Amino acid sequence: MPIKWQNCAVAPDPWDFFVSYTQADRLWAEWVAWNLEEDSYRVLVQAWDFIPGTNWTQNMQDGVTGAARTIAVLSDAYLNSVYGSAEWQAAWAADPDGKQRKLLIVRIQDCPQPGLLAGVVSVDVFDKPEAQAKATLRKAIADALAGRAKPTQPPAFPGRAVPRPARFPGAVPTVWKVAARNPNFTGRDTALAALAQDLSSGSTVTVHSVHGLGGVGKTQLAIEFAYSHAADYDVVWSITAEDPTTIPDQFAALARKLGLTPTNDPDEVREQVHDALRAAAGWLLIFDNADSVAGIQPWLPSIPLQAGTPGHVLVTTRRGGFGSIGHVLDLDVIDLPAAVQLVRS
């Protein structure tokens, strides 16, 4: 009597994501997969899993039908790919109304979403610094799994802002971290007036950079502005920005001062602080001695404000290129009469 062998192999756990891409975009696909696996998701990606000895067709079938969701790395090259079209169409067909969010689109360039793709909300990671692109990707994945993009803090009241009570002259906000004021500060009345005018001209978050040589007084100008306008804000916080790797710890300190409990994830801490600033009745962040736009841009709030509520970012720098994020005030040495007054004082 022949022996009938029973297959006792245990089926592997299903994949959380299948990354669909064309070979021209392999680096982007690996970047997406790496960041997802850092968050403990199971990811099937051709670059890593279709290794010698495996069945390419079976692996592709596992990805298309066995993964909970398909991530299409969208580009012009992907739109012209026969295999790419088959992969995203299979995910779309399994969830045509998008209720299960089986098809997620990550655009890596400003390309169109033709046909059925036009009805799927995409995640754009192009033209962003890596830290910001990573935060965008992670938030999109979290929102897709949760089914909503509800913020952790209540939104600002969209109507007329309630007037704040008058603050005693010279008093600083409760949330405050700025170096000591220079009692001999002089000669910058015009620059201070220009800063105040430019920062107050916007209805959304306003970024202003103070540019000049080392030692010309950029930091002193920012400090004086903070003290002179302390009554305009509920939060004023100075951040040493020369080394971007120190910014997460400084944001964590700000989060604690705001009454939050910061996590160990810098991206989550940044979102915590930005959400808290949304609810604040005016805030000023100072990024002192920034070396590059890329080093601080992920940390710049881009949040809607209450009517009449100031949200300001002041950057001091010796470098160029900061005009891409806001107005730039070029600071020169003080004139001779102001210099004489400073020496006498």
Side-chain angles (χ1 to χ4, degrees):
M1 181 177 178
I3 300 175
K4 185 176 182 180
W5 295 98
Q6 184 177 4
N7 184 1
C8 298
V10 178
D13 293 334
W15 300 99
D16 296 310
F17 297 99
F18 168 55
V19 180
S20 173
Y21 67 99
T22 187
Q23 284 300 316
D25 303 321
R26 172 174 175 167
L27 294 179
W28 273 108
E30 291 189 71
W31 179 83
V32 169
W34 183 277
N35 282 291
L36 291 177
E37 291 199 349
E38 275 194 335
D39 289 337
S40 301
Y41 296 115
R42 298 191 73 247
V43 182
L44 180 65
V45 58
Q46 180 179 343
W48 300 343
D49 298 301
F50 294 22
I51 58 177
T54 58
N55 187 309
W56 187 90
T57 305
Q58 184 60 51
N59 282 346
M60 192 63 68
Q61 177 73 5
D62 290 342
V64 171
T65 63
R69 291 173 175 82
T70 294
I71 294 180
V73 181
L74 199 65
S75 66
D76 289 328
Y78 184 85
L79 291 171
N80 293 322
S81 168
V82 175
Y83 290 113
S85 296
E87 291 159 16
W88 74 256
Q89 287 172 11
W92 185 93
D95 181 31
D97 58 9
K99 290 183 178 179
Q100 301 177 62
R101 296 166 297 284
K102 280 188 166 294
L103 176 61
L104 305 178
I105 298 176
V106 176
R107 290 204 310 165
I108 60 170
Q109 68 178 106
D110 191 7
C111 59
Q113 293 180 216
L116 297 175
L117 288 175
V120 183
V121 178
S122 66
V123 182
D124 295 346
V125 296
F126 59 89
D127 293 341
K128 290 182 172 71
E130 182 177 3
Q132 186 178 355
K134 179 179 178 180
T136 300
L137 175 66
R138 294 184 65 188
K139 185 177 187 304
I141 296 299
D143 291 345
L145 297 180
R148 304 182 77 191
K150 182 179 178 179
T152 58
Q153 297 288 333
F157 177 62
R160 186 169 183 171
V162 178
R164 290 185 302 151
R167 183 177 287 133
F168 185 76
V172 298
T174 303
V175 182
W176 171 273
K177 184 173 81 74
V178 178
R181 194 174 194 174
N182 182 359
N184 296 318
F185 184 87
T186 187
R188 295 297 190 189
D189 292 344
T190 301
L192 285 171
L195 276 181
Q197 180 177 356
D198 286 343
L199 286 173
S200 63
S201 62
S203 58
T204 57
V205 174
T206 306
V207 182
H208 202 300
S209 301
V210 180
H211 170 260
L213 298 173
V216 78
K218 302 180 296 297
T219 298
Q220 291 297 317
L221 181 68
I223 292 172
E224 182 64 22
F225 179 86
Y227 278 94
S228 299
H229 295 268
D232 297 336
Y233 307 103
D234 278 358
V235 178
V236 180
W237 204 260
S238 181
I239 298 161
T240 303
E242 186 172 10
D243 181 1
T245 62
T246 67
I247 296 179
D249 287 340
Q250 297 180 75
F251 256 63
L254 172 55
R256 286 188 288 270
K257 190 66 174 178
L258 288 166
L260 307 171
T261 302
T263 68
N264 293 325
D265 188 323
D267 295 331
E268 292 181 1
V269 173
R270 179 181 60 243
E271 293 303 318
Q272 284 181 305
V273 170
H274 288 182
D275 285 345
L277 293 180
R278 182 183 288 111
W283 51 267
L284 170 67
L285 296 183
I286 301 172
F287 289 84
D288 189 36
N289 203 23
D291 197 58
S292 68
V293 172
I296 66 169
Q297 193 163 39
W299 301 93
L300 301 182
S302 56
I303 55 181
L305 302 175
Q306 301 181 60
T309 300
H312 297 155
V313 176
L314 189 54
V315 181
T316 70
T317 181
R318 289 175 291 175
R319 310 297 183 187
F322 283 78
S324 62
I325 58 174
H327 295 142
V328 176
L329 171 66
D330 286 310
L331 197 65
D332 203 350
V333 296
I334 57 177
D335 58 23
L336 183 58
V340 171
Q341 180 184 347
L342 177 62
V343 172
R344 283 178 173 171
S345 65

